[in-house]
Amino acid sequence: MSSELPIDFSNPEIRDYMSLVRLQVLTPLSLLINIATVLVCTLVLRPSLGDVTRSHPASISPSVLTIAAYVFAIYLGQIGYCTLLVVARKPETKGTIIKGVGLALVFANWAMAGWAIAWVFEAFLTSTILLGILTLLLIYSNVVLIVYHVPTWHRPLDLAFIHAPVRLFLILPLSLLFPYSLFVTLGHAWNPSHPDQHEKKQWEEFTYLLIVNIIGLLIVALRRDWVWCLGATWVCVSIWLKKPKPIAIYIVAIMFTVLHPITLIAAVLAGNLTRKRREGRIRLPPDEESDHQRPVPSRHEIQADWS
């Protein structure tokens, strides 16, 4: 049937156009399903997402309201991304959308919707598997964006509505949702009526929290990544706001709440200082400057004196 159409599907421009159209349909649809599912599981079903979280406290369990605000920020960013899907005109922006994000965000929205259902029904193993798939999809998309579609301030809309939402979306499951679901599945949650048990089985969660925040700190320092700084700090705040907590988890969460913004500020200042030094080295050395300023003798002055 497609061979009868007067369209050359072997043309790369035609294929990119069809990919963009497909994303313009599937991405808003997947986002709508994601939002609707999370809202139903939060406001309609009982127990809700928050109820299940409160009934299964663990060492890294977060403040529900803080994470709800984080998810709301992700949705706002994705709404901006869907708008950019329609209004984008620059070839670089279209290339970033088609080849940088692509269908990974569509599948990620589906995975998050499935996680919400699994979490409400306390199917923790299914929840962990879906969050693992979600994390892998977003890691792949972020790596492609960083390597092949480098973010630049020359295209601020790309930064605000492509790179930032996808990065924030990754930080949430990587730093919190996946490990929390995993440790609940492994039996690390305690009975909320016995808060004195919160010291048990804390070191695995402490180790994961420490490692993922050290990796985040390196990303902030090397790339001066303000989005990662914001998301990681937000997650750390949500962890230490929830009480009770083992003292080791408190120390790590509060420490990285402070370290992430300090590292970002230090990295920006160091980058500016390095750039100024490089600009200063471009000037000619004094010897070369004097050579250029030295007058060239005329033809009569360089004639030999035979007298």
Side-chain angles (χ1 to χ4, degrees):
M1 182 67 180
S2 60
S3 60
E4 299 176 0
L5 296 175
I7 300 175
D8 182 12
F9 286 97
S10 63
N11 189 326
E13 294 183 358
I14 298 297
R15 289 202 302 268
D16 287 348
Y17 175 78
M18 297 302 296
S19 298
L20 182 62
V21 172
R22 182 169 60 245
L23 290 175
Q24 287 173 342
V25 175
L26 294 179
T27 305
L29 179 61
S30 68
L31 176 61
L32 182 61
I33 292 173
N34 185 350
I35 294 174
T37 304
V38 170
L39 284 177
V40 169
C41 292
T42 301
L43 303 176
V44 178
L45 296 181
R46 289 293 179 270
S48 65
L49 289 173
D51 294 336
V52 176
T53 302
R54 295 184 189 95
S55 63
H56 294 82
S59 296
I60 59 171
S61 56
S63 165
V64 174
L65 292 178
T66 308
I67 293 303
Y70 190 107
V71 174
F72 181 72
I74 292 175
Y75 288 156
L76 283 181
Q78 285 204 53
I79 290 172
Y81 171 77
C82 292
T83 305
L84 195 62
L85 272 171
V86 178
V87 303
R89 293 294 179 267
K90 293 182 179 179
E92 297 86 357
T93 301
K94 292 181 180 179
T96 303
I97 291 172
I98 296 169
K99 300 176 182 178
V101 181
L103 291 172
L105 186 59
V106 175
F107 295 139
N109 280 323
W110 279 95
M112 186 169 179
W115 160 78
I117 297 172
W119 188 256
V120 163
F121 286 98
E122 301 186 17
F124 297 124
L125 179 58
T126 304
S127 164
T128 304
I129 293 172
L130 288 171
L131 286 172
I133 294 171
L134 171 62
T135 304
L136 290 176
L137 286 169
L138 293 172
I139 287 175
Y140 167 79
S141 183
N142 276 275
V143 169
V144 173
L145 283 174
I146 291 173
V147 175
Y148 298 105
H149 305 275
V150 181
T152 172
W153 288 104
H154 296 295
R155 299 199 304 275
L157 292 180
D158 291 18
L159 273 176
F161 297 122
I162 300 178
H163 294 273
V166 176
R167 198 82 46 80
L168 279 178
F169 202 177
L170 168 63
I171 295 167
L172 182 60
L174 178 64
S175 302
L176 182 63
L177 294 185
F178 173 73
Y180 176 46
S181 180
L182 175 63
F183 290 126
V184 170
T185 304
L186 295 176
H188 285 213
W190 63 79
N191 190 330
S193 60
H194 297 282
D196 55 302
Q197 299 177 354
H198 70 272
E199 298 285 348
K200 297 180 179 179
K201 300 180 180 180
Q202 60 173 299
W203 296 112
E204 295 89 342
E205 294 163 73
F206 167 83
T207 303
Y208 186 95
L209 188 65
L210 182 64
I211 291 174
V212 77
N213 276 284
I214 290 175
I215 294 172
L217 206 63
L218 291 174
I219 293 173
V220 172
L222 297 176
R223 297 189 51 81
R224 300 191 288 274
D225 195 326
W226 63 271
V227 178
W228 198 285
C229 176
L230 174 63
T233 304
W234 201 327
V235 169
C236 287
V237 170
S238 73
I239 290 174
W240 59 258
L241 279 179
K242 180 67 176 176
K243 300 177 181 179
K245 281 280 190 303
I247 187 64
I249 301 295
Y250 266 126
I251 291 173
V252 171
I254 294 176
M255 179 177 67
F256 282 101
T257 299
V258 176
L259 283 179
H260 278 107
I262 289 178
T263 302
L264 177 63
I265 294 171
V268 171
L269 293 177
N272 291 338
L273 183 61
T274 303
R275 188 178 65 252
K276 289 180 180 178
R277 286 179 177 176
R278 288 175 180 173
E279 291 174 354
R281 291 174 183 172
I282 296 176
R283 298 176 182 176
L284 290 172
D287 293 341
E288 295 185 15
E289 289 183 354
S290 60
D291 290 341
H292 283 280
Q293 293 173 359
R294 187 179 302 161
V296 180
S298 65
R299 182 172 57 86
H300 299 288
E301 292 175 343
I302 63 176
Q303 287 179 351
D305 185 4
W306 298 100
S307 57

